[in-house]
Amino acid sequence: GEWSRAETCPSGQRLVSFRLRVEAPRGVWDDTAANAMAAICSGGTLLEGRGGPQGTWGNWSLPCPPHGGVCGLRTRVERPQRAGDDTGLNDADLYCCSS
């Protein structure tokens, strides 16, 4: 794949919530899994990655508490399937810290 342009919160703001656009498994067809991510900054700015159009947006994560923001992440990536259909990124967790 190719990197899209960087999306950043305005100065002094933090990421506080996110959601993924994920394509459901397609059986024998090519699966893509996570295709895009959107995030909300503490001041309300919406950031949206320029991912593929496949899939549907999931629910927004619970927001970080006041004065908190995203400070860590964990990803779920499918192992190579050898002769099977690889999807790559399947899910993500973002973790909040208080300032």
Side-chain angles (χ1 to χ4, degrees):
E2 296 179 13
W3 287 103
S4 64
R5 75 171 197 260
E7 301 284 342
T8 60
C9 290
S11 181
Q13 294 186 27
R14 303 158 311 283
L15 289 181
V16 294
S17 185
F18 82 103
R19 67 181 181 166
L20 293 175
R21 183 167 55 210
V22 179
E23 182 182 42
R26 301 181 63 211
V28 298
W29 303 102
D30 186 29
D31 293 326
T32 60
N35 287 297
M37 181 175 173
I40 296 177
C41 301
S42 54
T45 300
L46 174 66
L47 307 177
E48 189 172 309
R50 306 288 184 251
Q54 298 91 347
T56 56
W57 287 105
N59 294 328
W60 286 99
S61 66
L62 293 174
C64 292
H67 308 293
V70 173
C71 62
L73 69 103
R74 172 175 80 154
T75 59
R76 182 169 40 188
V77 178
E78 182 181 55
R79 293 177 190 211
Q81 300 297 298
R82 297 186 184 246
D85 183 19
D86 295 327
T87 58
L89 180 65
N90 286 271
D91 204 353
D93 285 332
L94 273 62
Y95 296 94
C96 299
C97 294
S98 297
S99 53

